[in-house]
Amino acid sequence: MSQSAVRQSADDYVVLGKLTSPYGIKGWMKVYSYTSPMEGILDYAEWVLRRDGEVSHHRLKQGRRQGRGLVACLQGIDDRSQAEAMAGAEILLPKEALPQLDSGEYYWHQLEGLKVITLEGMCLGHLAYLFETGANDVMVVKGEGAPDDRERLLPFLPDDVVKHVDLDAGEMLVDWDPDF
């Protein structure tokens, strides 16, 4: 493990997926990817794995689609018992290694924690997390600090519901009826 990796905090990384279980006897593992498309996780040659607070670095030797999921083989993990020991590990990527986005595009981790404010100036709370649905992504806004402490589900629809995002100020302006 490199010294620079030791100094980096958990906030310096984004979780791309996790290793779920061994696949075969030669160190291959099943991979659950949070990237879209799921194969996007295989574009990163260096994987940082975190399991039980321990961090290790591995080069991706091979990866492929297998059935409805993914499998991967990492350097230094050569047999089933080593793969079993890595089951449950998170696959991390340093945030600075993420591709640059166009203006008006955001990674979910950048939006999490933003204060959500209506056009009328009412604070609905903070964006806790997002999730995918078939139609659109959904924002879960926790009402801590809001007048009614409610949890709300808002569609992530730029220009329709989401009017403005200011990452520097830590705020998101939304067109949303607080009673809904």
Side-chain angles (χ1 to χ4, degrees):
M1 182 178 353
S2 70
Q3 286 296 331
S4 62
V6 173
R7 290 191 199 116
Q8 289 182 310
S9 75
D11 290 340
D12 295 330
Y13 293 99
V14 62
V15 180
L16 294 183
K18 65 180 178 179
L19 301 175
T20 60
S21 61
Y23 176 78
I25 60 170
K26 296 185 178 182
W28 283 75
M29 292 166 284
K30 293 180 183 176
V31 177
Y32 186 84
S33 175
Y34 302 143
T35 65
S36 180
M38 85 165 78
E39 293 90 349
I41 199 167
L42 301 175
D43 293 341
Y44 300 98
E46 180 79 20
W47 285 12
V48 179
L49 303 180
R50 179 175 57 203
R51 186 171 185 281
D52 299 330
E54 296 289 321
V55 174
S56 59
H57 295 251
H58 301 270
R59 288 209 52 79
L60 177 66
K61 291 195 306 191
Q62 289 183 315
R64 67 173 186 264
R65 192 168 185 82
Q66 182 67 38
R68 291 192 289 178
L70 300 173
V71 294
C73 183
L74 303 175
Q75 197 168 39
I77 301 174
D78 301 313
D79 61 38
R80 186 174 182 87
S81 63
Q82 289 174 323
E84 284 174 348
M86 294 309 296
E90 293 178 306
I91 304 165
L92 309 175
L93 182 73
K95 288 180 181 176
E96 71 264 5
L98 289 168
Q100 289 294 102
L101 297 176
D102 293 333
S103 178
E105 294 183 332
Y106 306 96
Y107 287 110
W108 284 7
H109 75 270
Q110 294 176 298
L111 301 175
E112 292 170 351
L114 294 182
K115 183 188 286 187
V116 179
I117 302 169
T118 67
L119 293 174
E120 294 76 27
M122 180 180 176
C123 175
L124 299 178
H126 289 85
L127 199 154
Y129 60 93
L130 295 102
F131 63 90
E132 282 185 79
T133 66
N136 53 267
D137 297 336
V138 174
M139 303 180 292
V140 177
V141 179
K142 301 275 186 175
E144 302 99 19
D148 58 9
D149 282 342
R150 284 182 40 205
E151 178 179 285
R152 292 178 172 83
L153 302 178
L154 282 69
F156 184 75
L157 298 171
D159 301 325
D160 186 21
V161 173
V162 179
K163 295 299 187 179
H164 182 72
V165 173
D166 187 339
L167 295 177
D168 293 329
E171 296 179 345
M172 175 186 290
L173 186 64
V174 297
D175 186 2
W176 194 254
D177 181 352
D179 294 328
F180 188 67

